[in-house]
Each structure stands twice: as C-alpha cells, then as structure tokens.
Amino acid sequence: DTGVSQDPRHKITKRGQNVTFRCDPISEHNRLYWYRQTLGQGPEFLTYFQNEAQLEKSRLLSDRFSAERPKGSFSTLEIQRTEQGDSAMYLCASSLVAGGVRYGYTFGSGTRLTVV
Amino acid sequence: GNSVTQMEGPVTLSEEAFLTINCTYTATGYPSLFWYVQYPGEGLQLLLKATKADDKGSNKGFEATYRKETTSFHLEKGSVQVSDSAVYFCALSNTNAGKSTFGDGTTLTVKP
C-alpha cells in the first residue's frame, strides 16, 4: 500500500472559480477525513466519511464546500466560487476504527490551494 | 467542546538535550490522545498514542503519558537529535466520534 494519496499537490486558481481535489485513502481503512490547515495553525476539521456515508460536516463549512465518497473508495472535495480566504492546505486522512478503538490517522501530503 | 492547548514555540535545543512539549486538553468523556509530527516538506505522521488514563505511548524514543487528573499529555524525549527538528501536534479524539481536535503545533529546532 502506498499510503494516502492526494491530487493535485498544488492548485492556483482565480477567485470565483471552482476547484476539486481528490483523495485516495488506504484501502483497509473505513474512515476518510478532510481537514484544512493554515500557516501556524493545527488542522481544522471539515468533514468525514465512514465507507460511503458522510457522517459529519463542520458547522464552520459554508455551502460552497461539498465532499463525496462514491462507493466508499476515493473522495473528492469541491469548493465552488472560491474566495481568497479559502487559500490553505487541504489535508485528507484515513483511519481504521474497529471495536470502538481509534488507531490514529494516516495523512496524505495535502493539496495547497492558492486563490488569487 | 473539545480543545487542545500546546506550549508555544518555537523551541530550540542543542543535540542530546532533554525535550518536553506540554499539551493539555479539555474534552467530554474519555478521549484518545495522540501526538503527530510533521517533518520539513512532509505530511503529518502519527508519532504515538494513548487510549486510556495512565497509558504511556512511545515511539522513536519519544514518550507521553495520559494523565486524566491533570488533563495532560506532555511529549518527552531524553536526548534529541538534529533529525527530530519538526513541528509537533497534540490531538484528541472521542473514541467513537469522527473528528480529532488538534493543537496549533510546536516547532522544534535541534542544533548540533
């Protein structure tokens, strides 16, 4: 297994454009998470899936953000009508949750979004 | 809600010095606690974890003990190396909840 893969690594877009990021998790993991990280801050939760079901979405997340995980495999995060405040590193992570025990996240390398 | 507070950095140490990075938390119930590390130019990696009170997580010479009475999970290493230079994040997760809550990270620089 090659770990968690994210694509693209970097994205520069003009304000108002839509962008989509992809995450391929570790195949044995049943949960997939999206986080956002800005400079000097820790990762901030956006949303997560268990298999194909989206179980929680941050209340801080505007309706311009949407995430999908068709068939419980890869996931996409779309940002519509991007704003300069959306500039950040978008992190994907996967984990195994079994028997009520968390085994910690495996993170991808992230997608760095710059909105100009 | 849940929160994690880490000591502010940056922390600069000489090689072979003793390291402590403080982490305290606020959470409902009995969360699992984690330390993640981010080396320059790389993604976050799980360093160690503890799932219940008095558990000690350890990895690569780093240790942290889950102290419920002080709601703390301080990271320690007896002798740091230059290669330990990184950003360290403390995090918690309620066992059956989805999300983790992260601290803001502490940057460690180890000089030869």
Side-chain angles (χ1 to χ4, degrees), chain A residues 9 31 33 35 37 40-45 48 56 59 91 97 99-109, chain B residues 32 34 36 38 41-46 49 51 89 92-105:
Chain A
R9 292 292 302 272
R31 287 193 178 178
Y33 308 83
Y35 281 79
Q37 186 179 21
Q41 305 289 315
E44 175 189 32
F45 171 76
Y48 89 97
E56 187 175 352
R59 287 172 290 177
L91 301 172
V97 179
V101 178
R102 293 282 311 278
Y103 292 93
Y105 291 159
T106 301
F107 278 94
S109 297
Chain B
S32 295
F34 306 86
Y36 290 85
Q38 186 170 29
E42 298 184 17
L44 283 87
Q45 303 173 24
L46 179 64
K49 69 179 179 73
T51 57
F89 293 90
L92 70 82
S93 175
N94 291 106
T95 305
N96 290 316
K99 62 186 177 185
S100 288
T101 301
F102 288 79
D104 286 336

Side-chain angles (χ1 to χ4, degrees), chain B residues 1-111:
Chain B
N2 296 341
S3 67
V4 175
T5 303
Q6 292 183 231
M7 65 184 285
E8 291 191 15
V11 175
T12 302
L13 297 173
S14 297
E15 206 164 23
E16 299 184 1
F18 184 84
L19 168 71
T20 300
I21 300 178
N22 290 339
C23 171
T24 57
Y25 67 90
T26 302
T28 56
Y30 303 95
S32 295
L33 302 174
F34 306 86
W35 277 100
Y36 290 85
V37 58
Q38 186 170 29
Y39 298 104
E42 298 184 17
L44 283 87
Q45 303 173 24
L46 179 64
L47 180 60
L48 54 84
K49 69 179 179 73
T51 57
K52 60 182 187 296
D54 300 324
D55 268 2
K56 178 183 286 187
S58 62
N59 186 26
K60 299 182 180 180
F62 291 89
E63 294 183 339
T65 301
Y66 189 140
R67 300 288 188 198
K68 187 172 184 296
E69 64 275 14
T70 55
T71 62
S72 65
F73 192 55
H74 305 321
L75 183 68
E76 296 182 337
K77 186 174 186 182
S79 176
V80 294
Q81 306 300 310
V82 172
S83 57
D84 294 325
S85 297
V87 183
Y88 293 82
F89 293 90
C90 184
L92 70 82
S93 175
N94 291 106
T95 305
N96 290 316
K99 62 186 177 185
S100 288
T101 301
F102 288 79
D104 286 336
T106 302
T107 300
L108 170 66
T109 302
V110 180
K111 296 188 173 181

Side-chain angles (χ1 to χ4, degrees), chain A residues 30 48-55 67-74:
Chain A
N30 54 1
Y48 89 97
F49 295 82
Q50 177 153 321
N51 302 315
E52 67 274 13
Q54 186 173 17
L55 296 188
E68 294 182 345
R69 193 182 182 199
K71 302 179 182 177
S73 55
F74 70 92

